[in-house]
Amino acid sequence: MAAQGRHGGRKSNKMTALVVDDNMVNQTIHHRLLDNLGIENEAVSNGKEAVDIHCSGKTFDLILMDMDMPVMNGIEATRKLREMGIRSMIAGVSTRSMEREVQEFMEAGLDDYQVKPLTVSKLISIIHKING
Amino acid sequence: MDVVNQMQRQFVDYSTSLHREGILDDQFTQLQKLQDENSPDFVVEVASLFFEDCEKLINNMARALEQQGVDFKQVDASVHQLKGSSSSIGAVQVKNVCIAFRSFCEAQNREGCLRCLQQVTHEYSLLKNKLQTLFRLEQQILAAGGSIPVIE
């Protein structure tokens, strides 16, 4: 999937991703996992920052969205991004595993959901859904 | 090279013992596999972030539990954070205490929470010491010109 450049023009064929997580340990791990797979990525610390970065004109092939975050949580952020017309693959990544909680997150507009911790194989299965 | 081999064996034995004792799980091995020549300090970097996170969160929990009217939601929020990061680094004992801790928060049981706080502090200190020893063994191997063995 070709990536949008920062100013909207096509710059490269490298996949791009946005990590949305308030925890620095998780941000660092997810950043490295994505780097390892050759995916250009950046990180923000809550749902509002994820929305704001899209409002600034940036888009990403993949968004890894945590659920529990301050200011704006993952459910609200996912809903907001979908309302804005963002069609990127959004994968929820959270420690929550109760069916009701996951369903609420999925209904907000997720394409996939993975229970933390994120691993190489979970990330690859998310990426296959983009390409598949 | 005998010295390097000996150090490498010591590293493997120590690393294996941490898994056998249930202090670390496979997630830690996954992080070690992400370390390479492009990011040679990745595991130390993640561990340092985890230690900072732990200390901050444990302090938050302690302060919240000292209050006259304990805000259990606030305590639970910190425990949830700690559960998340301990799970991500493979710190299974810390994570397990957090699971019990959350139940006590939900039950608004202050005594139970205080016991868990004590336990989580103990598990964190133990883990920190063990990881610092592991990282020291790694540094010794590298200083002697050897490479860090891959633990499967």
Side-chain angles (χ1 to χ4, degrees):
Chain A
M1 187 180 276
Q4 287 257 323
R6 278 162 201 231
H7 303 291
R10 290 190 185 281
K11 278 199 155 182
S12 73
N13 283 324
K14 254 197 167 182
M15 198 180 278
T16 58
L18 179 67
V19 174
V20 189
D21 199 312
D22 61 327
N23 184 288
M24 284 310 299
V25 173
N26 292 328
Q27 268 196 28
T28 307
I29 293 172
H30 295 170
H31 167 72
R32 183 80 192 101
L33 280 169
L34 290 161
D35 259 1
N36 223 30
L37 293 174
I39 298 171
E40 274 179 24
N41 63 94
E42 26 188 317
V44 293
S45 301
N46 62 59
K48 184 175 184 300
E49 288 180 12
V51 169
D52 289 348
I53 203 171
H54 282 86
C55 288
S56 76
K58 282 192 186 176
T59 57
F60 304 87
D61 298 303
L62 169 65
I63 301 169
L64 296 178
M65 184 76 79
D66 185 24
M67 190 194 281
D68 297 297
M69 293 179 286
V71 186
M72 187 189 285
N73 67 29
I75 294 176
E76 290 172 58
T78 302
R79 240 179 237 136
K80 182 77 187 161
L81 288 171
R82 293 304 189 208
E83 279 167 18
M84 285 164 62
I86 301 297
R87 295 284 160 256
S88 311
M89 162 74 135
I90 306 180
V93 184
S94 173
T95 52
R96 305 267 192 146
S97 55
M98 281 178 58
E99 205 179 311
R100 179 182 50 81
E101 293 168 324
V102 175
Q103 194 178 358
E104 193 188 354
F105 204 179
M106 289 296 298
E107 282 170 2
L110 294 182
D111 297 295
D112 194 10
Y113 180 85
Q114 296 286 348
V115 178
K116 274 181 192 167
L118 201 61
T119 59
V120 173
S121 58
K122 285 180 185 178
L123 190 49
I124 287 172
S125 89
I126 293 170
I127 289 162
H128 279 159
K129 285 196 172 181
I130 301 176
N131 295 329
Chain B
M1 280 302 115
D2 270 346
V3 170
V4 171
N5 282 341
Q6 207 171 18
M7 286 181 188
Q8 286 171 329
R9 259 201 310 279
Q10 200 182 1
F11 172 82
V12 170
D13 287 345
Y14 193 73
S15 197
T16 308
S17 75
L18 295 183
H19 285 81
R20 202 176 44 240
E21 288 165 29
I23 291 172
L24 292 172
D25 67 15
D26 185 58
Q27 182 61 15
F28 188 77
T29 312
Q30 296 292 321
L31 297 186
Q32 287 175 307
K33 287 179 180 173
L34 287 175
Q35 184 163 290
D36 60 18
E37 55 277 359
N38 293 325
S39 57
D41 300 318
F42 174 67
V43 181
V44 170
E45 193 189 313
V46 172
S48 302
L49 284 170
F50 176 68
F51 297 151
E52 274 174 39
D53 208 37
C54 264
E55 279 161 31
K56 182 192 78 181
L57 291 169
I58 287 173
N59 283 337
N60 289 349
M61 292 169 205
R63 267 200 310 274
L65 286 167
E66 272 168 18
Q67 305 305 313
Q68 279 281 57
V70 175
D71 183 347
F72 286 99
K73 276 208 163 95
Q74 192 185 3
V75 180
D76 183 65
S78 293
V79 179
H80 175 75
Q81 279 280 319
L82 184 55
K83 182 180 160 228
S85 49
S86 59
S87 165
S88 293
I89 199 176
V92 68
Q93 304 270 43
V94 176
K95 183 190 79 175
N96 286 343
V97 176
C98 288
I99 292 170
F101 204 154
R102 293 202 78 191
S103 301
F104 285 117
C105 288
E106 206 175 340
Q108 304 205 356
N109 181 332
R110 188 170 175 267
E111 288 310 308
C113 283
L114 286 169
R115 276 199 305 275
C116 283
L117 179 63
Q118 209 173 16
Q119 261 182 290
V120 93
T121 306
H122 168 76
E123 292 300 339
Y124 158 67
S125 298
L126 184 69
L127 174 71
K128 188 174 181 182
N129 284 340
K130 300 268 181 184
L131 282 181
Q132 284 173 337
T133 301
L134 188 72
F135 295 148
R136 253 196 317 275
L137 288 172
E138 278 187 354
Q139 288 310 306
Q140 283 170 5
I141 293 169
L142 292 172
S147 60
I148 312 298
V150 174
I151 316 281
E152 291 299 334

